[in-house]
Amino acid sequence: ALVDRQRWDDVVATTTAALAAATLTNQDLAHVVRYRARARLELGAYDAAAHDLLGLALARAGTRASVIRLRALLLLRTDQLAGALELAQHAVGVPAGARAELDAVQLEAAMRLGRPAHAVPLSRRDVARLEQLGHGPWLARLRAAYPDHVASAA
């Protein structure tokens, strides 16, 4: 619910408290750290987000796709556009249904680098998934900047 309302400070506080106070399963631990890393990205706390991603990368294999998606966002947000584009284009182990964030990273990075041929359009399904993941403001910026590459909402 906090993510849906984009209350990122509260997400960081809640997830940090959960990590300190509870005994979590590996799956729950990865889930909590994923949310905290995303919140830290949204708040611009890039070093802290990178630290969380390092921890996730060392976790079980099931977190690989999440680490790749969040790392691509981190590279984009820190203006490491070539790295973001490369990671988004060549991400291995990310299921097709979980690529919406990577496709959006690829779109923005390619366009900002002046490589429109490398940009992928965002489908209605991608748009719906990005909205569901709380990326509404980012999606609005993408739609304003690249209207021919972002589908209308479903």
Side-chain angles (χ1 to χ4, degrees):
L2 295 174
V3 171
D4 295 339
R5 289 181 262 153
Q6 299 184 8
R7 292 176 47 193
W8 304 116
D9 286 321
D10 292 336
V11 172
V12 171
T14 302
T15 55
T16 300
L19 291 169
T23 303
L24 302 170
T25 66
N26 286 344
Q27 183 176 0
D28 289 341
L29 178 64
H31 184 75
V32 169
V33 173
R34 231 181 358 252
Y35 273 112
R36 185 171 72 178
R38 166 72 192 288
R40 286 175 163 173
L41 274 171
E42 297 299 338
L43 292 169
Y46 300 127
D47 288 341
H51 184 265
D52 282 344
L53 291 177
L54 179 60
L56 279 173
L58 298 173
R60 63 185 185 83
T63 64
R64 179 171 168 68
S66 295
V67 170
I68 290 169
R69 291 191 319 263
L70 289 168
R71 187 166 306 283
L73 278 168
L74 177 64
L75 291 170
L76 182 72
R77 302 269 173 90
T78 57
D79 290 325
Q80 297 175 62
L81 302 177
L85 179 60
E86 178 72 18
L87 183 56
Q89 285 180 308
H90 302 291
V92 176
V94 178
R99 284 202 50 92
E101 288 168 309
L102 289 174
D103 290 346
V105 166
Q106 185 173 340
L107 168 63
E108 183 174 349
M111 297 302 271
R112 288 177 57 194
L113 286 167
R115 300 180 195 167
H118 295 273
V120 294
L122 299 180
S123 67
R124 284 185 175 185
R125 175 178 276 168
D126 293 332
V127 168
R129 182 68 179 139
L130 290 167
E131 287 174 347
Q132 182 182 37
L133 291 170
H135 289 299
W138 180 32
L139 190 55
R141 287 192 304 274
L142 290 175
R143 188 175 282 123
Y146 317 112
D148 294 340
H149 287 80
V150 181
S152 300

